[in-house]
Amino acid sequence: MRRPRLAAAGLALAVVAAGGLASAARGDAPERVSRYVTDDRGRVLTLHGFNTASSAKSTPDALPELTEADVETEYRAMGTNFVRFLMQWRAVEPSPGVYDTKYLEKVAERVGWYAKRGYHVMLDMHQDLWGNRITPDGRAGNGAPGWATHLDGLPVAGEHDTWELYYLDPGVMRAFDHFWNTTGEHPELMDHYARAWRAVADHFKDDPAVIGYDLMNEPWGGSVQGAAFENGPLAELYRRTIAQIRSVDQDNWIFVEPQAVGVNWGLPSGLPRFDDPRAGEPRIGLAPHVYPLPLDLGEDYVGASREWTDTTLGWWRSNMLRLAERQGGPVILGEFGLDTTRPGATELVERMLEMTDEVGMGRAYWSRDPGPWGPYDGEGRPGPLVPVYARPYPRAIGGVPRQIAYDRATHALTVRFDANGSGPTEIYLPADEFPRGGRVTGALSSSWDPDRRILTATTAASGVQTLTVTPS
Ligand SMILES: CN(C)c1ccc(C(=O)NC[C@H]2N[C@H](CO)[C@@H](O)[C@@H]2O)cc1
């Protein structure tokens, strides 16, 4: 983990504390989200999965280092049903206005590996630090193509002890200022980005596994920050991209992210509401990230930093629920993660799973890559994350959820919902705690699929239903 200078850490904590206290003081946040992603039967989906994968940032073909066997392993071990799949603009549009169909076909092949196993896929146009061409060795940033990278000869450090400091290098700042047209010299770049998304949406609009598009990973405003950025150039990019996507795809969900700085730590976002030009109900959702500042500063989820982390998670939860209420859409927690070998780490993951269950958010852990943050080490051996992420959850719910709660002590999962006749509720049960499947109360009938480890419970088609599942 990173350990920046104490002064910087203290300043960051002070900023977060001030902003967070202001957020907490409002106290008007909703308890849960009000909209959900549903399957083609209208059942509400609980999206539970990984970011796959950070390796796509640096591979020459911009594809994650992933095999179909890896997807099978993930399902068998943790029963996930969702993936935030990383893509790169550099691969979609290798030269201005030219879209690489072969790359999109290779992405589609990998989407097919997930589709065969009942997964839902959100495509993420991923960037960090702008793009691979901010340094001559191409190893610092990722995302944007070389032809869209304009540093104007300004310096970018050869090395930074904490990678995010590259965002402040003059060359990187200038690349972003050109993209957002803050410089007034490159009005074309945002339209290229929006049209690249149209090409992606045109390719995946009929793919049944793809539920939606995450428009930009962790946007950075360069010289324009905070509400001025989120209400200014960022909102403009989102509006143009929504229009381009909807010109070819009327039905997939479109997810927008607030700026990363501050909001990842629990501060409020100024992101405005976005209209959806599609006929019928709008399908614009939010895909924020959360990385509590104490952990970002190298502390562990123990003692005082655990208390401080819990406080900031409370701010994050309230602020994102307020943002979701403004947008009127679902929320997928697009990223959360940490070094799972650190003290308290798996308890933080458990806390995040509990919280997203409580408020009705989907979640994608960062990330699926091998290493101490991920579920497997470099040799494919499972780490401490696997048993925590192999959590009972209702993959698909036959109504609007009111409560999803798993009690690890009693191994009892409670799913309460307003039934709407959309179909039976499907519940994943991990082998560790449910070796012989589960016993369910509150259902009219149920069945157990031992191969996929899914309990299917049929209830009345209306009224409040409460399913309680315990080990057989
Ligand atoms: C200064 N800025 C703009 C900044 C700082 C820190 C992060 C970050 O830690 N992000 C958390 C994780 N997200 C990316 C992938 O999306 C990972 O590489 C980070 O660990 C992002 C942006």
Side-chain angles (χ1 to χ4, degrees):
M1 283 290 282
R2 304 180 281 270
R3 292 188 179 278
R5 289 190 305 279
L6 200 56
L11 174 63
L13 283 168
V15 167
V16 167
L21 288 172
S23 314
R26 285 183 50 187
D28 58 353
E31 286 297 310
R32 297 180 63 85
V33 300
S34 59
R35 295 275 318 277
Y36 300 89
V37 176
T38 59
D39 65 10
D40 53 10
R41 300 173 65 169
R43 296 184 298 178
V44 168
L45 297 174
T46 301
L47 298 169
H48 177 66
F50 285 92
N51 278 273
T52 303
S54 189
S55 54
K57 300 178 183 179
S58 54
T59 48
D61 60 6
L63 294 166
E65 290 167 352
L66 177 81
T67 65
E68 183 169 4
D70 292 331
V71 181
E72 181 69 13
T73 297
E74 176 181 328
Y75 184 79
R76 294 291 159 192
M78 295 173 278
T80 46
N81 71 343
F82 175 62
V83 59
R84 180 180 184 236
F85 191 91
L86 274 68
M87 297 182 67
Q88 297 267 287
W89 182 19
R90 65 184 165 98
V92 174
E93 189 178 7
S95 52
V98 176
Y99 305 111
D100 185 343
T101 309
K102 291 203 180 313
Y103 169 66
L104 296 178
E105 287 165 355
K106 288 178 180 174
V107 170
E109 179 190 10
R110 286 144 183 82
V111 169
W113 300 345
Y114 287 98
K116 278 166 62 176
R117 295 163 177 85
Y119 280 74
H120 308 283
V121 180
M122 176 169 73
L123 298 175
D124 157 36
M125 196 71 86
H126 201 92
Q127 73 80 32
D128 297 290
L129 305 172
W130 178 251
N132 311 69
R133 302 312 324 153
I134 63 164
T135 54
D137 65 6
R139 295 175 57 187
N142 72 86
W147 59 264
T149 301
H150 303 285
L151 309 181
D152 296 353
L154 294 175
V156 177
E159 283 292 328
H160 276 298
D161 55 358
T162 51
W163 69 275
E164 56 266 38
L165 292 176
Y166 277 105
Y167 274 113
L168 299 174
D169 282 350
V172 176
M173 291 286 282
R174 180 60 56 84
F176 277 101
D177 285 349
H178 279 318
F179 175 71
W180 300 115
N181 202 27
T182 303
T183 62
E185 297 170 22
H186 285 281
E188 79 285 359
L189 292 179
M190 282 207 276
D191 282 332
H192 272 290
Y193 192 91
R195 288 195 293 264
W197 260 117
R198 182 180 64 193
V200 172
D202 198 32
H203 198 91
F204 288 98
K205 61 190 176 193
D206 299 321
D207 189 318
V210 173
I211 57 156
Y213 312 117
D214 185 348
L215 297 191
M216 177 176 272
N217 178 68
E218 299 192 342
W220 167 248
S223 304
V224 182
Q225 289 291 321
F229 169 51
E230 292 183 309
N231 283 277
L234 182 61
E236 180 60 23
L237 176 75
Y238 286 161
R239 291 189 188 103
R240 292 188 198 178
T241 306
I242 290 167
Q244 287 290 351
I245 288 173
R246 287 291 182 242
S247 70
V248 294
D249 182 342
Q250 284 295 311
D251 297 323
N252 271 330
W253 284 88
I254 297 173
F255 289 90
V256 295
E257 296 188 27
Q259 73 166 35
V261 171
V263 181
N264 283 13
W265 299 335
L267 296 189
S269 163
L271 204 61
R273 183 184 178 285
F274 295 93
D275 292 329
D276 188 344
R278 77 183 291 267
E281 284 207 316
R283 289 186 178 178
I284 308 285
L286 297 171
H289 300 175
V290 65
Y291 289 93
L293 185 57
L295 306 184
D296 244 10
L297 294 176
E299 298 301 316
D300 292 320
Y301 191 58
V302 294
S305 65
R306 175 174 179 144
E307 290 172 25
W308 184 223
T309 294
D310 286 343
T311 299
T312 62
L313 288 177
W315 297 339
W316 183 92
R317 171 183 176 147
S318 301
N319 287 325
M320 291 306 102
L321 285 171
R322 287 189 193 103
L323 201 61
E325 187 178 47
R326 186 190 311 169
Q327 181 55 50
V331 180
I332 295 176
L333 169 52
E335 288 186 21
F336 71 104
L338 76 170
D339 178 341
T340 61
T341 66
R342 301 293 304 174
T346 53
E347 293 170 76
L348 175 79
V349 175
E350 183 92 21
R351 181 73 200 95
M352 294 310 297
L353 296 179
E354 287 169 354
M355 189 263 281
T356 47
D357 278 344
E358 287 163 9
V359 300
M361 292 181 184
R363 62 261 177 155
Y365 180 88
W366 181 268
S367 71
R368 181 65 176 76
D369 299 85
W373 282 50
Y376 302 100
D377 68 13
E379 286 68 48
R381 293 179 297 238
L385 178 63
V386 170
V388 177
Y389 224 62
R391 177 185 179 84
Y393 72 103
R395 296 164 52 94
I397 303 169
V400 179
R402 291 285 175 258
Q403 181 193 19
I404 299 171
Y406 181 55
D407 182 334
R408 277 259 189 229
T410 63
H411 301 317
L413 174 69
T414 302
V415 183
R416 185 161 52 85
F417 56 96
D418 292 330
N420 61 9
S422 56
T425 295
E426 294 184 10
I427 296 169
Y428 170 76
L429 299 175
D432 283 2
E433 290 135 317
F434 295 81
R436 289 177 301 283
R439 178 184 312 114
V440 59
T441 62
L444 297 176
S445 64
S446 66
S447 61
W448 170 242
D449 177 343
D451 179 52
R452 297 183 66 221
R453 305 201 60 77
I454 292 175
L455 175 74
T456 300
T458 300
T459 67
S462 62
V464 176
Q465 309 296 323
T466 301
L467 297 176
T468 304
V469 182
T470 51
S472 289

